[in-house]
Amino acid sequence: TATGRLLADRAAEALVLHRMLGGGSAHTWEEQSAQSLLTDLVSGVVPARQLLPRARAAGLPVNRRTFVPLVVRDAEPAQLERILRLLGLPGLVAELTERTTAVLLSLARDQDADALAAHFAARLHGESAGPRAVVAAAGARTVWDDVPVGLREAQHVADAVADTTAALDLPAVVRLKDVHLRGLIRLLRDDPQVQSFAERELDGLLCANGTDQDLLGVLRTYLATGRNKSRTAQLHHVSRPALYRRLEAIQTRLGVDLDDFEQAASVHIALLAHDAQQQ
């Protein structure tokens, strides 16, 4: 039948790829296979079910498994692969962009997916000497067809917390419930009305000179820390009086009172929208 021939063709393709993986350039083929597979899963262009033979050929266990979609920011793919091997975790690693890497774990059904994701993140953070990498995760999936949605969710979470780790106390593994308003703004960032709102609220600071950029940075940290003046001064390495002067300048430029909750919330939403549009 046509279905039988199609299955046979896919099996043959998987076998050929498997044999290529066993050759002298195995590492290169493994990288290319994982890259292609995870990119196709994230894009959703190819139905997940059609990618099963490629997943098997890439060495990913797929029968009766729990899949954990992760997206890691600011970590080298080679380091992530090494950590998977050290921890004995089956999975695929593929770079999605210059700063983000997808990791798809394949666990036995009786393994604790959340605990192993946390263990993976702890090992990565323990090795990092510079800025801490962000490990974003979606909920575990027990059905292969749900993996693309999970990978896109993890990517959304990773994007939502991009460049905010200096000002926010993020958990070791960041999930959708942790991104709150930031995640919603990220989804709405291309809406023209949201863009107009951000420009209108921040007009007094949206200039190109260095002073204005510095004030934007102070405002960003101040709002992200819940208007904590001590923490903001510490993060920007300035004295409290110097911080007060900068906050006064910000309020004058924007024509707002940051001690007023509603006005501060409005500016915060505008700043989140502005930052999301720049990414």
Side-chain angles (χ1 to χ4, degrees):
T1 65
T3 301
R5 287 195 301 272
L6 180 60
L7 290 173
D9 288 344
R10 289 178 181 166
E13 291 171 1
L15 180 59
V16 169
L17 182 54
H18 179 72
R19 287 172 176 168
M20 295 173 88
L21 290 173
S25 58
H27 186 63
T28 299
W29 277 105
E30 285 171 354
E31 287 182 341
Q32 292 178 350
S33 178
Q35 180 86 35
S36 173
L37 173 63
L38 292 185
T39 299
D40 284 347
L41 282 169
V42 170
S43 70
V45 173
V46 182
R49 190 168 298 277
Q50 294 183 18
L51 298 173
L52 266 173
R54 285 166 56 187
R56 292 191 181 97
L60 187 74
V62 295
N63 294 330
R64 295 188 58 78
R65 306 293 287 186
T66 295
F67 303 101
V68 182
L70 306 173
V71 171
V72 183
R73 286 185 62 87
D74 300 325
E76 292 296 325
Q79 180 188 20
L80 301 178
E81 289 176 348
R82 182 175 54 78
I83 291 175
L84 288 185
R85 289 195 300 271
L86 286 171
L87 299 179
L89 295 175
L92 296 179
V93 176
E95 190 173 37
L96 298 179
T97 68
E98 185 179 352
R99 294 186 60 187
T100 61
T101 302
V103 179
L104 180 60
L105 303 181
S106 175
L107 308 176
R109 291 284 175 88
D110 60 353
Q111 291 180 292
D112 188 329
D114 289 348
L116 288 174
H119 190 34
F120 171 81
R123 183 66 185 240
L124 173 61
H125 294 152
E127 291 187 0
S128 301
R132 195 175 84 154
V134 172
V135 179
R141 265 63 179 173
T142 56
V143 178
W144 174 256
D145 287 350
D146 294 339
V147 169
V149 173
L151 284 168
R152 288 193 288 272
E153 179 183 315
Q155 187 174 36
H156 166 67
V157 172
D159 290 343
V161 299
D163 303 318
T164 62
T165 52
L168 296 177
D169 294 324
L170 296 172
V173 179
V174 189
R175 301 182 184 276
L176 195 59
K177 64 182 178 61
D178 300 313
V179 299
H180 305 296
L181 178 62
R182 189 178 300 276
L184 175 63
I185 295 299
R186 181 83 188 186
L187 290 175
L188 299 176
R189 64 178 177 172
D190 295 326
D191 187 302
Q193 294 186 53
V194 173
Q195 294 175 357
S196 296
F197 168 76
E199 292 171 1
R200 184 170 62 251
E201 289 289 304
L202 300 174
D203 182 60
L205 288 179
L206 293 182
C207 302
N209 68 66
T211 300
D212 291 329
Q213 289 302 312
D214 180 60
L215 291 178
L216 262 181
V218 170
L219 176 63
R220 184 179 292 110
T221 303
Y222 181 60
L223 295 173
T225 57
R227 296 183 290 173
N228 186 318
K229 293 183 175 66
S230 296
R231 181 67 173 148
T232 302
Q234 180 184 28
L235 287 169
H236 284 270
H237 307 290
V238 298
S239 65
R240 288 283 291 263
L243 175 65
Y244 294 153
R245 289 193 294 272
R246 294 183 189 187
L247 290 176
E248 186 63 36
I250 290 169
Q251 292 181 111
T252 300
R253 295 282 194 93
L254 299 182
V256 298
D257 177 5
L258 292 177
D259 289 329
D260 179 89
F261 176 78
E262 185 173 340
Q263 293 183 53
S266 182
V267 172
H268 195 186
I269 292 170
L271 187 56
L272 291 174
H274 169 73
D275 288 347
Q277 291 159 17
Q278 306 308 305
Q279 296 165 1

